[in-house]
């Protein structure tokens, strides 16, 4: 999409409400009937395939070629832009800007409709399979039922974190979203209040209990389908959110079996870095060459378009990050807190490069890429800094993928890695016995930085709302999973503030917000059509961004 068309969010919002919302005024409920399935041999398997096949690579919201409509991975960018770790240096095209600017996020805007439409569409697919399988699935339906239970739990856990004002362990009564399960009838949806954290996680854990039973012994074909280890991992996340530290620790430990953490070579690989499942990846999504998001719009409606810098401007010329001036950078302060001995720092361009002349800049960029000229020329032509440019996510297919986005953007995206299980185990153990947690955390950190010393990431900012141990865990999670969709979830879970305004910041002027407490804008609004027709559904206040940059924070 070399000619980028700017579309007014107002027009987009009105068109959405004039079409999709009139036809679908409630969360997407209902389910296929047994009669429908029995009429078509093999149809049950088709319903099962529908759960996983369209989680990425397919436009779910508008059915068109919107550059931000490519499935669940788009929410990694979308939601984490609300915090501080992802920086958008160019605010001209409107795709993910609103989330960074905290603008157009109220219940009447398309941004609210987007999350609502996509998540409930996928939940409906899960409900179809659960309904068809029944409470006691037959042998030929049990794996499909397990997959459906797993993904419904995954999707509702995401929604709970997006919409609840507090995490479950701090406020079990905080409202999440209305539950639409396989038992709900259309008439029920007009009186379907938001579930509390407590009720939501009871349903999530019930689904995961069943998934654990159904998937026991299941041998998956690849890491694009969950097996029982992924159920253990999702349970570890759930128990961390509910404050059941012992269960979180135990399930995180169980989930580690059979996996190996990424070493430096795997983490920083120029060929397979975060584009191909490896021994640490527990679950992933993948973009296929025949996906609409790859086939259409020059493949620019894709994760790779936004997260990969190395796409040849001469043979392709595509990619929002590589060639349209829309890279996503790492926060400068986070980068500067990473010691030079930590191999994860090699995934981001040094900020010192911005002070170099072109010849020295090209030489310095050669430490990150075989094509430093592409990176430097794009930065010069599109007027953004090189410092902080992300080289964590590489195009798939090596040089062929760098020359052709239809190859390069057919990449995998991790949904769960074993490294997260080690950090959940450490955090949960440390909340019960801090010395045990410190030992586990230190052992993990030394796999990334042999010179790691506990307690080195505890400046005043990190200590605003928790002690040294939790801050050290949080710092490890921030750098380990940068860009993988956990940043804002962690800010809300740990009730952290954000700091974008500080000396030398690379955040965009007029959006340099500092918040001592967790910002209210991280509590998403429920789309207005839901509250109009579901008379029991409350809503979160419309987010209001600060009206000016905050005074600079001194570290």
């Amino acid at each position: 999409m070399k000619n980028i068309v700017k579309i007014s969010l107002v027009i987009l919002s009105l068109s959405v409400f004039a079409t999709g919302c009139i036809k679908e005024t409630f969360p997407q409920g209902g389910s296929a009937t047994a009669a429908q399935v029995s009429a078509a041999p093999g149809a049950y398997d088709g319903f099962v395939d529908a759960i996983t096949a369209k989680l990425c690579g397919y436009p779910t919201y508008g059915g068109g070629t919107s550059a931000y409509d490519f499935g669940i991975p788009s929410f990694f960018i979308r939601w984490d832009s609300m915090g501080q770790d992802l920086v958008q240096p160019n605010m001209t095209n409107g795709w993910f800007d609103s989330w960074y600017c905290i603008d157009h996020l109220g219940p009447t805007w398309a941004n609210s409709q987007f999350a609502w439409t996509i998540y409930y569409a996928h939940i409906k697919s899960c409900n179809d399979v659960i309904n068809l399988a029944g409470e006691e699935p037959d042998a030929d339906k049990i794996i499909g039922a397990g997959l459906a239970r797993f993904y419904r739990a995954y999707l509702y856990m995401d929604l709970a974190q997006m919409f609840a004002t507090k995490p479950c362990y701090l406020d079990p009564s905080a409202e999440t979203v209305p539950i639409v399960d396989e038992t709900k009838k259309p008439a029920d949806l007009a009186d379907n209040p938001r579930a509390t954290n407590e009720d939501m996680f009871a349903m999530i854990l019930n689904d995961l209990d069943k998934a654990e039973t159904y998937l026991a012994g299941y041998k998956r074909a690849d890491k694009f389908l969950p097996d029982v280890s992924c159920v253990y991992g999702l349970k570890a996340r759930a128990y961390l959110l509910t404050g059941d530290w012992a269960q979180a620790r135990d399930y995180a430990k169980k989930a580690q079996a059979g996996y190996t953490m990424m070493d430096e070579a795997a983490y920083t690989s120029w060929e397979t870095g975060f584009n191909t499942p490896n021994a640490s990846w527990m679950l992933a999504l993948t973009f296929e060459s025949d996906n609409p998001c790859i086939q259409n719009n020059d493949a620019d409606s894709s994760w790779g378009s936004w997260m990969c810098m190395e796409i040849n401007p001469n043979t392709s010329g595509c990619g929002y990050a590589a060639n349209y001036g829309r890279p996503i950078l790492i926060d400068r302060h986070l980068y500067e807190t990473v010691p030079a001995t930590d191999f994860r720092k090699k995934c981001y361009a040094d900020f010192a490069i911005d002070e170099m002349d072109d010849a020295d800049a090209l030489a310095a960029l050669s430490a990150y890429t075989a094509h430093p000229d592409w990176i430097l020329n794009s930065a010069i032509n599109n007027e953004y800094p090189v410092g902080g440019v992300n080289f964590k996510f590489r195009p798939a297919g090596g040089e062929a993928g760098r020359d052709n986005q239809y190859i390069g953007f057919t990449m995998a995206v991790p949904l769960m890695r074993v490294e997260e299980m080690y950090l959940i185990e450490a955090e949960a153990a440390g909340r019960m016995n801090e010395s045990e947690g410190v030992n586990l955390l230190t052992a993990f950190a030394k796999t990334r930085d042999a010179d790691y010393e506990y307690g080195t990431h505890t400046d005043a900012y990190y200590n605003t709302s928790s002690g040294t141990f939790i801050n050290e865990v949080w710092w490890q999670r921030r750098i380990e999973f940068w860009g993988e969709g956990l940043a804002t979830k962690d800010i809300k879970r740990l009730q952290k503030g954000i700091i974008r305004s500080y000396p030398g910041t690379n955040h965009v002027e007029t959006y340099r917000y500092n918040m001592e407490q967790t910002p209210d804008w991280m509590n998403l609004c429920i789309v207005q059509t839901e509250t109009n027709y579901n008379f029991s559904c409350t809503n979160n206040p419309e987010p209001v961004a600060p009206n000016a940059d905050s005074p600079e924070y001194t570290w």
Side-chain angles (χ1 to χ4, degrees), residues 99-338:
W99 301 77
Y100 182 81
C101 301
I102 322 303
D103 187 27
H104 297 151
L105 298 178
T108 62
W109 290 93
N111 287 309
S112 294
Q113 177 76 33
F114 190 86
W116 204 253
T117 298
I118 288 180
Y119 272 83
Y120 276 105
H122 292 312
I123 286 168
K124 181 184 182 299
S125 295
C126 296
N127 287 341
D128 285 341
V129 172
I130 292 167
N131 179 62
L132 294 167
E135 281 299 311
E136 299 293 336
D138 294 335
D140 62 337
K141 292 184 172 61
I142 198 165
I143 299 304
L147 299 177
R149 295 279 182 179
F150 174 88
Y151 274 113
R152 188 168 73 173
Y154 178 97
L155 294 162
Y156 270 121
M157 197 183 305
D158 262 13
L159 287 174
Q161 293 174 88
M162 289 179 186
F163 288 90
T165 57
K166 290 286 178 67
C168 186
Y169 76 97
L170 291 179
D171 186 359
S173 66
E175 293 183 318
T176 61
V177 295
I179 292 174
V180 181
D181 62 17
E182 76 281 9
T183 69
K184 287 288 193 300
K185 307 301 181 190
D188 300 329
L189 301 180
D191 184 17
N192 191 23
R194 295 168 68 182
T196 64
N197 264 325
E198 184 174 31
D199 290 341
M200 176 62 75
F201 278 91
M203 187 200 75
I204 287 170
L205 287 166
N206 179 64
D207 272 351
L208 291 175
D209 285 343
K210 291 183 177 181
E212 186 175 353
T213 299
Y214 297 163
L215 296 178
Y218 166 59
K219 304 297 183 184
R220 57 184 173 173
D222 52 46
K223 293 184 178 181
F224 305 124
L225 292 171
D227 65 3
V228 74
S229 71
C230 303
V231 179
Y232 296 155
L234 204 54
K235 277 193 166 185
R237 288 181 180 177
Y239 284 124
L240 198 67
L241 285 161
T242 60
D244 190 335
W245 314 126
Q247 292 269 50
R249 176 200 60 196
D250 293 348
Y251 270 100
K253 184 68 174 176
K254 291 176 71 172
Q256 295 165 23
Y259 297 98
T260 304
M261 285 195 288
M262 296 173 74
D263 60 12
E264 179 175 355
Y267 202 102
T268 63
S269 171
W270 289 14
E271 303 303 314
T272 59
F274 289 89
N275 64 38
T276 303
N278 56 43
S280 102
W281 289 27
M282 299 172 65
L283 184 64
L285 298 175
T286 189
F287 289 83
E288 304 282 2
S289 60
D290 60 353
N291 288 164
C293 288
I294 298 297
Q295 288 288 316
N296 303 326
N297 199 32
D298 296 329
D300 277 330
S301 302
S302 68
W303 171 259
S305 175
W306 289 94
M307 299 303 284
C308 294
M309 293 299 303
E310 301 164 292
I311 296 294
N312 192 334
N314 303 309
T315 59
S316 167
C318 293
Y320 276 91
N323 291 301
Y324 302 158
R326 297 303 304 276
I328 294 174
L329 315 181
I330 191 173
D331 170 70
R332 181 167 189 162
H333 181 259
L334 177 59
Y335 173 86
E336 290 176 344
T337 63
V338 184

